[in-house]
Amino acid sequence: MASRPVETFGARLRTALDARGPLCAGIDPHSSLLVRWELGDDVAGLEKFAYTVVEALADRVAVLKPQSAFFERFGSRGIAVLERTVDDARSAGALVIMDAKRGDIGSTVAAYADAYLDPSSPLFSDALTASPYLGFGSLEPMYAVAEKSNAGVFVLGLTSNPEGPQIQAATGASGRSVAEEIVTAAAARNAGATPMGPIGVVVGGTVATPDFDLAALNGPYLVPGIGAQGATAADVRRIFGAGARNVVPSSSREILRGGPSVGGLRDAAARTVDELRAMLD
């Protein structure tokens, strides 16, 4: 059973990014990729896929991000694979962001926090993705457990899907967009933390450059879409400017296409890290 990390999430993430490079590699065992790897679309294929990615990358990339839905679709046996994936990845030195995008209110949010952010849980992860669209404050129980456990929460802010702006670009009573309100609220939770706070924001790598200051977050940004979805290191610099140092660029398909060989996955991850370092440093 995992113990509570001694260092804050922000401190662990900063150390990992500096030592291993600015990359979060996704673990997304969707059916088409299992087929591409010549694996069965079943629990055995899921196990082989996930454990190969962990073997290849957990001792060298800063962050691994399993997408929970692709494990959940196999029921309890899939969740058992997810538990081992998280534990093996963290044991090898990678931070784990559980990509589950949970969100609700009250006791339900507290239960999600217990499932993913309490060190006594078999699914304990260094951070969890969450949806704040029932109100940023609706996730308060999750923030509280994360801070107590030295874990993190990444709330959705500016996503790349075409439906996102309908909500995220809408203007509230303050005259600010919903996305800006979310970043502002997260920044308030992170105030005074060093080297950065535990409340991060998800910003897609292909979004338009926002008209508000992202550097004010004092926390990490998780930026999916690097590689196969069209985002580049130049996009990270364009969107975040001086705040790019706290960005966690995420690539899934671009790296996973390097499989099923361990060497192919490692080469794909190394190329991505080199490209990101060259631009962001």
Side-chain angles (χ1 to χ4, degrees), residues 203-259:
V203 174
T206 57
V207 300
T209 305
D211 58 1
F212 56 91
D213 184 13
L214 293 173
L217 177 63
N218 188 34
Y221 283 100
L222 179 62
V223 183
I226 303 298
Q229 295 181 51
T232 66
D235 287 313
V236 174
R237 175 62 73 187
R238 168 184 60 81
I239 295 168
F240 297 94
R245 186 166 184 266
N246 285 352
V247 165
V248 185
S250 180
S251 179
S252 297
R253 280 179 284 175
E254 189 75 13
I255 292 173
L256 296 174
R257 285 172 180 170

Side-chain angles (χ1 to χ4, degrees), residues 65-226:
K65 182 174 67 66
Q67 169 48 258
S68 180
F70 293 123
F71 295 81
E72 292 172 30
R73 70 191 185 99
F74 293 106
S76 61
R77 294 178 65 195
I79 296 299
V81 175
L82 181 59
E83 290 176 2
R84 180 180 161 187
T85 299
V86 171
D87 187 59
D88 287 355
R90 297 188 71 245
S91 296
L95 274 67
V96 171
I97 298 174
M98 180 64 73
D99 195 356
K101 299 181 180 69
R102 300 304 192 219
D104 212 302
I105 60 172
S107 59
T108 308
V109 169
Y112 282 139
D114 290 342
Y116 298 104
L117 300 174
D118 185 324
S120 67
S121 169
L123 284 169
F124 174 71
S125 304
D126 296 280
L128 172 70
T129 60
S131 174
Y133 291 107
L134 289 173
F136 183 86
S138 69
L139 298 175
E140 181 58 38
M142 196 176 286
Y143 308 142
V145 172
E147 290 166 351
K148 179 181 178 181
S149 302
N150 282 336
V153 178
F154 284 91
V155 297
L156 300 176
L158 283 166
T159 59
S160 297
N161 62 302
E163 303 86 359
Q166 180 181 8
I167 301 297
Q168 298 158 16
T171 301
S174 67
R176 298 185 293 198
S177 69
V178 171
E180 184 176 2
E181 293 281 13
I182 289 170
V183 173
T184 300
R189 289 295 305 236
N190 291 332
T194 56
M196 55 181 156
I199 311 303
V201 177
V202 179
V203 174
T206 57
V207 300
T209 305
D211 58 1
F212 56 91
D213 184 13
L214 293 173
L217 177 63
N218 188 34
Y221 283 100
L222 179 62
V223 183
I226 303 298

